[in-house]
Amino acid sequence: RSGEEDAGSSVEEMEFNWDEYLEDTGATAAPHGSFKHVDTSLQNGFAPGMKLEVAVKSDQNTYWVATIITTCGQLLLLRYDGYGEDRKADFWCDILTADLHPIGWCQQNKKILKVPEGIKDKIPDQEEFLQRVLKGACSAPANLLEGLHRGKNPLDLIAPGSRLELQNIRDSLEAWIVNVVENVGGRLKLRYEGLEDLDKFDQWLFYLDPFLHQVGWAAQHGYSLQPPLAIRSLRSEADWQEILKKVKEEEEESSVPTDLFKDKPVIGVHSFSEGMKLEAVDPMAPFVISPATVLKVYNDRYFLIEMDDLRPERAAGQRYVCHVNSAGIFPVQWSLKNGLHLSPPPGYPGQDFDWADYLKQCGAEAAPQSCFPLLTSDHGFKENMKLEAVNPVDPEEVCIATVTKLKDSYLWLQLEGSKKPVPECIVSVESMNIFPVGWCETNGYQLRPPRKAIGTSPLLFNYCWHHGIWKHSLLVINGKYCCPKIYFNHRCFSGPYLNKGRIAELPQSVGPGNCVLVLKEVLTLLINAAYKPSRVLRELQLDEEAAWHGHGETLKAKYKGKSYRATVEVVRTADRVADFCRKTCIKLECCPNLFGPQMVLDKCSENCSVLTKTKYTHYYGKRKNKRIGRPPGGHSNMEVATKKPNKRRKRRKHFFVHKKKRSSASVDNTPAGSPQGSGAEDEDDQDEVDEESLTEDSTSEHQDELLEESEVSEKKSLSSSPTQSELSHSLAQDRDKRKRKLRTFSFSDDENKPPSPKDIKMEVAEKLQLDSNPLEWSVADVVRFLKSTDCAPLARIFLDQEIDGQALLLLTLPTVQECMDLKLGPAIKLCHHIERVKLAFYQQFAN
């Protein structure tokens, strides 16, 4: 695919793996047994205990009665009648190839029923034995053993083009013919007969839906066959009658076996009366529970419900047909008894809804408890379980869903990955719009993966995946941190470091998304597009002597069998992205517009295309007094690791990259100017000398100094002894000398002032009041916070893992236990403090 297609690829194209997702989120899948409609759809029409006539292997001209022991797809495990409980003679056979027939087939076709040799002695009287075992026996379905349907799953018989009848949910006394457009594991896409290619009114229903029937059902039960009002005006009455006549003529060709509907829920008798009030969930928008009224009773099976709407200008409210077992209807006060919010009807004065006043005001009575079926909590679902669920706003979508709440027979589901954000959905545990984990993959349907909070590229998606960043990523709550789309302007001058051909293969754009992650993605792509990736990494590496106003990220490069790593500075806020991109381009001596938030259309503002490489380097290369991004004296934070052959890379266990800084006393011997020519091959040897010299081990002190600094500041506030004071003064002087080097963790700006233990206020019930946004905390700030709690001994781990404020807010109990190797007790204690910070963040800064 082209780079542009790559960059614009949607979430549907991203590879999703349920096992990895469950592992990374620490969640469990809802048990398959909780989805009864799915279990029913998997049945092949044969059931244990059914009998059939099977050819005897030793004599193919004779047959004997056998009983089905178990089924497995198109395979049946059989046992000849007469063996009793003896399992030794059980045998498997394939429905498609074996000589199998329903009971009575031998008699009709004049074939011989003869006792097999192995049990001949046990059956002295064959006729008497057959009469006894076949009395009241259930024969295997003839249509699944013979003809076109042989060996097929009954569900597969509902093929595109099949016809069914669908009751009108607005008026249950009417039904109309629908065509099956698609069958996905029993979930049917249906189109009204007569609409042909018009898909505007298409519906998705599971084949066991109580409002879906085989053709002829309406006539048998006294219901009229009329197109719904919504489509009736699209054709003349004569056209509809002609369509109906055509359907009846083709009924046999498009009919669906009635056996398919034998497992449909039976509609019971209700006891509702017109005018009764109840609580209900609108099936078209199942997000809230609201008051509703029984508007009409059709018969003892069906009644019409209308969602209450008190607005004077309203037309007809939302109406839908119900039966006694319909999901989403509850007695008055059900919400109150279960601690749930009841949304007042639109137009209701005030938000404090009271049922007693409302019933009095309306002059209505509440539907008695006896009208409603008993709800059960024995279903196997638990909070935080994962499943797959239909998006009620867009039924084409099946999304990842998380159970957020449970009440009796109802689940509250948070959908992930929907094209448009959807509130929590309220569904019954018996809903036919929820499916077990893996259902989409099994049936070849696209599951919507988790929404990518960051950009669109696979590399960003994987980064977020392995760092536990999902739909509610805290990293993008504040628009301040959201990076605009970064464009690669392929026509611009690529300079001496970057390979023009590889630049042309880069995607058209990356992002939008979190600044740090988008820019890290961009820099990684640039490094990989270089003639010598290690050289570009060295140009980009952090200048420890310069002021550091951004965020350090570890980037890697591979060149000539060696792996290099360095800390590179990237900006964290959107307002600084354009300047960062331009300065980085100048570092790499390429056109300042090569990449950035502005797309170059026909002509670059720098007029870079008319400059020769020599002239261009004069303007953006050699004119520099020193190489941008290179510290004087050749100090570097790069480290190298020789590539080990034939060793597969293991999956990173930790979610947070452990970045190390190393310095070296080696001198940079490369010329001040950039190399001329495509790859500067004549400098290979010198580069290798430089890069090897950058890998010399030296002590890295900044982490220890940070921890020591926090410890000393804490002790200083607790002790006033001269020794301690002198020590603090000495360390303070030492810190002043290193002030520029440790710019990462210094906070001269008021807005970035770190939360010292004195700033953190403890309130009753351990409520935390923060003076700065945790999203902006550095590693040092996190360490200082932990030192103020009873988890102070764990500060070293956070320092080693370099967990800053953003990472802190993403930690959960499973990740803390895995990444920090903590026992349950200390992990829970630590998570308690993390949750306090999260709560304070949401209350103080999230809005």
Side-chain angles (χ1 to χ4, degrees):
R1 296 180 306 165
S2 68
E4 186 169 359
E5 286 174 330
D6 236 352
S9 60
S10 62
V11 280
E12 286 88 352
E13 295 176 79
M14 294 301 175
E15 184 178 344
F16 177 79
N17 184 292
W18 259 117
D19 291 335
E20 288 184 17
Y21 178 69
L22 292 173
E23 180 183 344
D24 289 345
T25 56
T28 57
H32 277 65
S34 297
F35 304 88
K36 296 181 177 61
H37 61 296
V38 177
D39 281 346
T40 301
S41 71
L42 296 175
Q43 295 172 6
N44 61 5
F46 297 96
M50 286 182 175
K51 295 186 183 294
L52 61 166
E53 296 175 356
V54 187
V56 179
K57 290 183 180 180
S58 57
D59 185 354
Q60 292 295 325
N61 294 320
T62 64
Y63 296 79
W64 189 243
V65 176
T67 301
I68 298 175
I69 305 301
T70 191
T71 66
C72 181
Q74 66 185 51
L75 300 178
L76 301 178
L77 181 64
L78 303 176
R79 182 183 304 165
Y80 285 121
D81 282 13
Y83 277 97
E85 299 300 318
D86 186 0
R87 300 189 302 177
K88 292 178 182 178
D90 290 1
F91 60 98
W92 288 96
C93 63
D94 189 324
I95 302 166
L96 289 174
T97 58
D99 195 358
L100 309 175
H101 305 279
I103 297 298
W105 179 85
C106 284
Q107 184 177 358
Q108 294 171 5
N109 292 274
K110 298 181 179 179
K111 297 292 182 181
I112 302 170
L113 275 174
K114 183 179 178 182
V115 182
E117 290 294 329
I119 50 173
K120 201 168 186 179
D121 297 339
K122 297 181 179 180
I123 305 175
D125 189 336
Q126 177 176 309
E127 293 299 324
E128 184 272 333
F129 177 81
L130 288 175
Q131 287 181 4
R132 177 162 46 87
V133 298
L134 295 179
K135 186 177 182 181
C138 177
S139 173
N143 64 310
L144 298 180
L145 291 170
E146 301 168 343
L148 296 174
H149 298 162
R150 180 178 181 180
K152 288 187 176 180
N153 187 316
L155 195 56
D156 295 334
L157 303 181
I158 310 179
S162 299
R163 289 191 176 108
L164 297 165
E165 288 182 2
L166 176 63
Q167 284 178 259
N168 186 353
I169 196 170
R170 307 296 178 198
D171 187 343
S172 72
L173 300 185
E174 293 179 349
W176 187 241
I177 299 98
V178 286
N179 271 295
V180 176
V181 178
E182 193 175 350
N183 178 359
V184 181
R187 189 166 180 258
L188 309 178
K189 185 176 184 179
L190 305 169
R191 183 169 300 164
Y192 286 117
E193 186 72 40
L195 296 192
E196 298 169 347
D197 296 330
L198 185 61
D199 60 0
K200 180 181 177 182
F201 300 97
D202 286 359
Q203 298 183 54
W204 281 92
L205 289 175
F206 203 73
Y207 80 104
L208 295 174
D209 190 284
F211 287 90
L212 196 59
H213 313 277
Q214 70 272 24
V215 172
W217 175 89
Q220 293 172 11
H221 293 81
Y223 294 97
S224 62
L225 209 55
Q226 288 282 346
L229 280 174
I231 67 168
R232 199 171 294 176
S233 61
L234 300 178
R235 298 278 188 277
S236 66
E237 183 61 32
D239 288 342
W240 290 120
Q241 291 303 319
E242 189 64 30
I243 289 169
L244 200 55
K245 181 181 177 182
K246 178 186 174 185
V247 169
K248 290 180 178 178
E249 290 173 356
E250 300 174 357
E251 186 171 336
E252 287 188 12
E253 299 174 18
S254 61
S255 63
V256 173
T258 56
D259 289 349
L260 281 171
F261 301 98
K262 61 181 173 53
D263 296 311
K264 275 180 55 175
V266 178
I267 303 298
V269 175
H270 72 82
S271 55
F272 286 93
S273 301
E274 288 184 12
M276 285 183 172
K277 296 282 184 183
L278 65 157
E279 297 181 3
V281 174
D282 181 355
M284 303 303 171
F287 312 122
V288 296
I289 303 173
S290 303
T293 304
V294 178
L295 191 66
K296 186 176 182 180
V297 174
Y298 295 109
N299 50 33
D300 61 354
R301 306 287 173 179
Y302 301 103
F303 55 97
L304 187 69
I305 277 184
E306 182 179 52
M307 306 302 294
D308 286 2
D309 191 335
L310 306 180
R311 292 173 294 187
E313 72 280 6
R314 75 170 180 95
Q318 185 67 270
R319 302 175 179 180
Y320 58 97
V321 174
C322 288
H323 50 82
V324 69
N325 293 318
S326 286
I329 57 174
F330 314 97
V332 162
Q333 304 286 12
W334 185 82
S335 296
L336 181 65
K337 291 175 183 175
N338 285 277
L340 301 169
H341 175 68
L342 180 71
S343 294
Y348 183 83
Q351 290 297 312
D352 297 327
F353 182 83
D354 182 79
W355 261 116
D357 291 344
Y358 185 62
L359 289 172
K360 188 175 180 181
Q361 175 187 336
C362 297
E365 64 171 329
Q369 179 73 48
S370 58
C371 290
F372 301 87
L374 294 176
L375 300 179
T376 176
S377 57
D378 183 23
H379 43 65
F381 291 101
K382 293 180 181 178
E383 283 188 11
N384 297 319
M385 280 184 170
K386 302 285 184 180
L387 56 142
E388 299 176 4
V390 175
N391 180 355
V393 176
D394 183 0
E396 290 271 353
E397 289 186 352
V398 180
C399 305
I400 291 172
T402 305
V403 179
T404 59
K405 186 162 49 182
L406 287 160
K407 293 293 178 184
D408 293 332
S409 301
Y410 288 86
L411 310 173
W412 274 251
L413 299 179
Q414 181 63 60
L415 303 186
E416 300 180 40
S418 55
K419 291 177 184 175
K420 296 180 181 179
V422 180
E424 285 187 347
C425 308
I426 306 170
V427 301
S428 165
V429 295
E430 295 181 351
S431 168
M432 296 183 194
N433 282 329
I434 58 175
F435 305 95
V437 161
W439 183 85
C440 279
E441 183 179 7
T442 300
N443 291 284
Y445 197 77
Q446 176 60 53
L447 173 70
R448 297 287 302 182
R451 182 186 302 278
K452 292 186 299 172
I454 335 281
T456 55
S457 73
L459 200 138
L460 282 177
F461 181 70
N462 292 334
Y463 183 95
C464 297
W465 183 292
H466 292 296
H467 286 68
I469 303 168
W470 297 106
K471 181 182 174 189
H472 300 294
S473 170
L474 300 174
L475 298 178
V476 290
I477 284 177
N478 193 330
K480 174 183 176 184
Y481 299 96
C482 190
C483 180
K485 186 178 288 188
I486 302 297
Y487 295 95
F488 289 103
N489 297 307
H490 300 135
R491 296 182 181 181
C492 288
F493 187 80
S494 56
Y497 294 120
L498 303 176
N499 185 317
K500 182 72 174 176
R502 292 177 189 168
I503 289 291
E505 293 174 357
L506 294 181
Q508 189 70 45
S509 62
V510 173
N514 172 261
C515 282
V516 172
L517 300 183
V518 170
L519 294 176
K520 181 177 180 181
E521 161 79 338
V522 168
L523 295 181
T524 299
L525 291 172
L526 287 174
I527 290 169
N528 293 334
Y531 290 110
K532 300 177 182 178
S534 57
R535 172 70 69 86
V536 170
L537 180 60
R538 195 173 59 197
E539 293 297 326
L540 296 175
Q541 69 183 343
L542 178 66
D543 185 346
E544 294 182 358
E545 296 299 318
W548 191 12
H549 300 289
H551 178 86
E553 278 291 325
T554 298
L555 296 184
K556 298 176 183 178
K558 288 186 178 181
Y559 183 60
K560 290 196 172 183
K562 294 180 181 179
S563 296
Y564 299 87
R565 178 185 298 201
T567 301
V568 174
E569 178 185 10
V570 293
V571 295
R572 300 174 64 175
T573 54
D575 58 326
R576 298 169 61 197
V577 167
D579 184 58
F580 170 83
C581 292
R582 188 172 183 86
K583 286 181 177 178
T584 304
C585 286
I586 294 174
K587 273 187 184 182
L588 299 179
E589 300 174 19
C590 57
C591 175
N593 291 331
L594 180 65
F595 67 91
Q598 295 297 322
M599 180 190 289
V600 173
L601 298 175
D602 296 325
K603 191 174 181 182
C604 172
S605 61
E606 299 290 328
N607 206 24
C608 64
S609 60
V610 301
L611 292 173
T612 64
K613 188 169 290 188
T614 304
K615 286 183 179 180
Y616 197 90
T617 306
H618 170 72
Y619 288 113
Y620 293 105
K622 287 187 175 182
R623 207 171 54 166
K624 303 187 295 291
N625 293 326
K626 67 183 184 70
R627 183 172 296 170
I628 296 174
R630 290 294 306 277
H635 293 294
S636 170
N637 60 16
M638 277 184 70
E639 55 177 300
V640 68
T642 303
K643 186 177 180 181
K644 296 179 181 179
N646 301 326
K647 186 172 182 180
R648 291 187 64 185
R649 181 182 175 186
K650 292 185 179 179
R651 183 178 174 187
R652 184 183 299 279
K653 180 179 180 182
H654 296 298
F655 283 9
F656 305 99
V657 180
H658 184 182
K659 299 186 283 286
K660 297 179 181 178
K661 285 188 180 180
R662 302 191 184 211
S663 60
S664 172
S666 63
V667 178
D668 183 5
N669 295 317
T670 52
S674 61
Q676 301 299 315
S678 63
E681 293 299 331
D682 55 329
E683 296 186 7
D684 279 357
D685 296 337
Q686 182 62 50
D687 286 342
E688 289 182 25
V689 171
D690 281 347
E691 286 157 1
E692 288 294 345
S693 69
L694 292 172
T695 67
E696 293 177 8
D697 287 337
S698 60
T699 56
S700 176
E701 301 174 350
H702 79 281
Q703 289 188 342
D704 292 331
E705 288 164 353
L706 280 172
L707 196 63
E708 186 179 31
E709 179 184 340
S710 65
E711 289 172 350
V712 169
S713 63
E714 186 181 53
K715 291 176 182 176
K716 187 175 180 180
S717 64
L718 300 174
S719 171
S720 59
S721 64
T723 305
Q724 184 65 39
S725 178
E726 290 170 10
L727 177 61
S728 299
H729 180 68
S730 174
L731 285 170
Q733 285 182 326
D734 193 25
R735 283 197 304 275
D736 288 340
K737 293 177 184 177
R738 294 191 302 268
K739 184 176 181 181
R740 292 176 69 82
K741 183 177 180 180
L742 297 176
R743 177 73 183 192
T744 319
F745 308 110
S746 64
F747 292 82
S748 57
D749 303 328
D750 290 339
E751 68 178 42
N752 290 327
K753 185 179 178 182
S756 64
K758 288 186 290 184
D759 294 332
I760 298 168
K761 304 170 185 177
M762 295 293 292
E763 298 181 2
V764 181
E766 299 187 325
K767 185 178 179 182
L768 201 60
Q769 188 72 24
L770 302 176
D771 286 351
S772 63
N773 191 337
L775 275 180
E776 299 176 353
W777 286 6
S778 66
V779 177
D781 302 335
V782 173
V783 168
R784 291 188 190 103
F785 168 73
L786 285 173
K787 295 292 289 183
S788 71
T789 70
D790 57 356
C791 289
L794 302 178
R796 166 64 70 178
I797 300 176
F798 279 69
L799 197 57
D800 290 341
Q801 293 269 11
E802 294 202 8
I803 298 175
D804 60 9
Q806 292 183 352
L808 180 76
L809 292 176
L810 291 171
L811 288 178
T812 61
L813 183 59
T815 54
V816 162
Q817 285 183 278
E818 179 185 358
C819 297
M820 300 184 181
D821 201 22
L822 295 178
K823 293 184 178 179
L824 184 60
I828 290 175
K829 186 186 292 186
L830 174 61
C831 286
H832 168 68
H833 293 297
I834 294 172
E835 291 303 315
R836 288 166 54 216
V837 175
K838 288 181 183 178
L839 180 61
F841 165 77
Y842 280 116
Q843 291 175 338
Q844 294 177 239
F845 302 102
N847 293 327

